[in-house]
Amino acid sequence: MSALKVEIYTKMFCGYCARAKRLLDDKGVEYNEYDIGMDQEKRDDMVRRKPGASTVPQIFIDDRSIGGSDELAMLEREGKLDAMLGL
């Protein structure tokens, strides 16, 4: 099985970002984090990948947008997250 690519766009002092990262950390999932707070290029990249995105976190699993912290938590509650992460 090939490793999944998990990416999360965040900002400093974002409670929702911290919550999403904590869930991924608890599952032992490695991810690339992009802080868009002071990086306009990464912000532009996020919006290009998810048109209309204006909030963080924005989470991508294998280039598929799954949304933010609430959507990640919902996938976990529904028992779908582990399968998406290949766990």
Side-chain angles (χ1 to χ4, degrees):
M1 174 191 289
S2 64
L4 291 175
K5 181 171 71 171
V6 179
E7 299 165 287
I8 180 169
Y9 291 84
T10 65
K11 283 186 185 176
M12 281 182 21
F13 311 115
C14 165
Y16 292 103
C17 299
R19 186 175 87 172
K21 292 190 300 182
R22 187 168 41 254
L23 177 55
L24 293 171
D25 289 340
D26 287 349
K27 291 189 166 292
V29 172
E30 291 185 27
Y31 53 87
N32 293 317
E33 179 179 0
Y34 310 117
D35 186 335
I36 68 167
M38 299 196 345
D39 189 337
Q40 186 62 45
E41 191 174 314
K42 285 294 182 193
R43 178 189 297 272
D44 293 345
D45 185 47
M46 178 185 82
V47 173
R48 178 187 57 75
R49 294 178 75 187
K50 173 79 183 225
S54 61
T55 60
V56 289
Q58 290 296 323
I59 304 160
F60 293 82
I61 298 175
D62 273 351
D63 293 319
R64 176 179 164 209
S65 172
I66 63 150
S69 179
D70 290 344
E71 289 79 10
L72 188 70
M74 182 178 67
L75 287 168
E76 173 68 359
R77 281 193 307 274
E78 293 174 350
K80 297 177 181 175
L81 185 58
D82 284 356
M84 289 183 75
L85 293 171
L87 301 176

